Amino acid sequence: MDAISDAAAVGAPATVALADTPAVPLPPALPAAAPAVEADATVPPGAPPVPPAAGAEEGDALVVPAQARPAGPGRPAEPAQRHPRPVVTELRLSAFGPHRSAVFPLGPLTLFAGPSGSGKSQALAAYEALAGLGSGATLEEAFPDPRARIPDRAVPDAQRRRGFRLGCTVDGPAGPVRLDLAVQAEPTLRIVGERLSQNGQILLATALRDPGRRSVQAAWLTGGAVGVTRAPLPDDRLGTALLPLRVAGSTAGQRQVLAAAEQVVVALRAVFPCDPRPDRMRAAVAPGEGRLLGDCANLADVLRRTRDECGTRHALLAQAARTGCAGSVVGLDVRAPAGGPVEAVLDRGPGRPATELARLGAGELRFLALALVLLTGPGVLAMDPAAELLSARQALTVLADGFDRGLDGRQSAELLRLALLSCGRGHIRLVAAVGEGTAAAARDLPGVAMVDLRA
């Protein structure tokens, strides 16, 4: 992205200039005829209605042409259908790292493959950032290093601004809902445009009207005689996540907005980024609540919990360990002296000393951690899904960059088997970046959606 134009110009749409492509329009600024009003104030009956969603019409830059979609032999992510649980079915990136107007369909099991530098990690980082924003994180928390997301060789505009765009589609009981964001990364990190739309209708639109204020002007569908409601929202938080606190739900339009926003938030909150760190998994850990951290440093404590609370799940993990760990493995056990640290071990069978996890190779530790994630659920993972919704009505999405890092072919194949088994049940989805070896083995597997990136 070269620049973001001044969204404060009344009636003028903000633009994003790509390094090697024509300017791409952002969501238009709010209509000039509507002055800013106090929070939760409504617009008089004569105000213009919310316009149709340009993102659903031909010609809007948010609609990516077919040739811009990632090429590859992979089959479609999944057939068009109504999903009983809210899930992210599409990720969109524009001027984000190496990605230029890219659309990535996401299925129950999606693997990103491609050479180094093709953008696998950037795509997963974008998904993780959206998940953080949906969970209430600030923009700075979601993008701790926003400059790393700006395309290489991007030139700032006259106001020295650079940024990027990202978005997703969330399907579920309310039907497909689109969320699109335009983010200014320099000189100040802020959201300069947000759009929530469904079936060609904009439900929420925000725009930066005054660069001197740390807020954006927002308008969301109200319906009835009022039409729309306008209010300022913070420029460092996702407006969609704030709507349930702002919208009463007293009209059909408000209920439509709430249903769409809540569906997006539920899907984004049910995400668990996982990157096991073997160097942190070797030491014994203090007993805790047994919720697995993203780096899996407390694996031993979680194994203690699964052993005590879910024998079936623990047995499945022990069975996987027989394939993924070297030597004879009879089971998984833990040593947890009263008041002392918890240490996990591999049971080698009668007459053989157990092997502490500290003695295992890095690949074996990563394998055990990822197998546990695939065989468990939100109650065992350190995440905060929507508490107001039953877990049976939520689908956990695991994000794993370098899914097969440090693994041999046997371990990768076993993890793919576990992933297909768990994802096939509908409660867990996996979006992972893999190396060419795993990608080659997965391309012909039914149920795997491959995204092949070209450098």
Side-chain angles (χ1 to χ4, degrees):
M1 176 181 296
D2 290 337
I4 298 180
S5 74
D6 193 346
V10 177
T15 63
V16 175
L18 304 183
D20 300 312
T21 59
V24 180
L26 287 180
L30 298 181
V37 295
E38 297 298 325
D40 296 323
T42 54
V43 175
V50 175
E57 296 178 351
E58 183 179 2
D60 186 350
L62 294 175
V63 178
V64 180
Q67 61 268 25
R69 298 175 183 268
R75 57 187 60 81
E78 53 192 325
Q81 57 183 351
R82 180 63 56 87
H83 294 265
R85 306 177 185 89
V87 294
V88 177
T89 57
E90 185 176 87
L91 177 68
R92 296 181 294 278
L93 302 176
S94 181
F96 191 97
H99 300 294
R100 302 291 193 273
S101 300
V103 174
F104 304 118
L106 303 178
L109 200 171
T110 305
L111 301 180
F112 282 78
S116 178
S118 59
K120 303 186 296 294
S121 296
Q122 291 273 24
L124 266 67
Y127 196 149
E128 183 177 351
L130 285 171
L133 292 171
S135 298
T138 65
L139 201 60
E140 186 175 21
E141 292 168 337
F143 295 102
D145 186 12
R147 296 182 61 184
R149 310 306 175 194
I150 300 174
D152 191 21
R153 300 184 303 275
V155 179
D157 68 359
Q159 287 77 39
R160 305 190 63 80
R161 290 174 299 178
R162 298 193 300 172
F164 47 82
R165 298 175 61 181
L166 67 164
C168 65
T169 296
V170 176
D171 206 347
V177 179
R178 288 174 57 100
L179 171 67
D180 293 286
L181 292 177
V183 178
Q184 174 187 294
E186 294 177 344
T188 305
L189 182 64
R190 63 200 314 178
I191 296 175
V192 296
E194 177 179 349
R195 178 192 288 148
L196 184 72
S197 60
Q198 184 178 31
N199 297 328
Q201 183 177 35
I202 292 179
L203 304 180
L204 166 71
T206 74
L208 181 64
R209 300 294 296 273
D210 184 354
R213 294 187 177 185
R214 294 312 307 260
S215 64
V216 291
Q217 188 67 14
W220 57 83
L221 179 67
T222 303
V226 172
V228 295
T229 299
R230 304 183 191 278
L233 292 178
D235 68 352
D236 65 341
R237 294 185 183 272
L238 187 69
T240 297
L242 299 176
L243 285 179
L245 304 175
R246 297 293 192 101
V247 181
S250 57
T251 68
Q254 290 179 339
R255 289 190 289 272
Q256 182 184 358
V257 171
L258 280 176
E262 290 173 351
Q263 178 168 288
V264 170
V265 170
V266 167
L268 292 180
R269 288 181 64 177
V271 172
F272 182 69
C274 181
D275 185 12
R277 294 285 301 274
D279 57 315
R280 301 178 183 177
M281 299 163 58
R282 300 184 186 279
V285 297
E289 59 180 347
R291 299 187 70 193
L292 190 66
L293 302 175
D295 63 1
C296 304
N298 62 335
L299 177 65
D301 189 45
V302 180
L303 291 177
R304 173 196 58 79
R305 179 182 175 186
T306 60
R307 182 200 63 179
D308 296 342
E309 297 182 4
C310 187
T312 300
R313 186 177 296 165
H314 193 79
L316 288 173
L317 182 60
Q319 180 180 350
R322 297 187 187 103
T323 301
C325 296
S328 174
V329 178
V330 174
L332 283 170
D333 203 357
V334 294
R335 298 168 179 166
V342 181
E343 184 180 37
V345 298
L346 291 182
D347 184 356
R348 297 297 190 179
R352 297 183 178 182
T355 302
E356 298 88 354
L357 260 60
R359 296 179 176 272
L360 298 184
E364 292 175 302
L365 288 172
R366 281 184 56 83
F367 171 85
L368 285 175
L370 290 168
L372 175 60
V373 171
L374 292 173
L375 290 172
T376 186
V380 182
L381 305 178
M383 56 182 298
D384 186 25
E388 63 275 10
L389 199 63
L390 294 175
S391 59
R393 299 184 60 188
Q394 301 183 58
L396 165 68
T397 297
V398 176
L399 298 182
D401 191 9
F403 182 69
D404 56 348
R405 187 190 316 130
L407 306 184
D408 59 28
R410 171 178 51 96
Q411 293 166 329
S412 299
E414 177 64 9
L415 283 183
L416 279 176
R417 185 189 72 82
L418 293 177
L420 285 168
L421 176 66
S422 299
C423 296
R425 295 172 177 169
H427 289 277
I428 288 184
R429 294 166 73 89
L430 173 66
V431 180
V434 299
E436 184 51 41
T438 301
R443 282 190 177 94
D444 295 328
L445 292 179
V448 177
M450 292 297 305
V451 178
D452 285 306
L453 301 176
R454 309 300 182 190

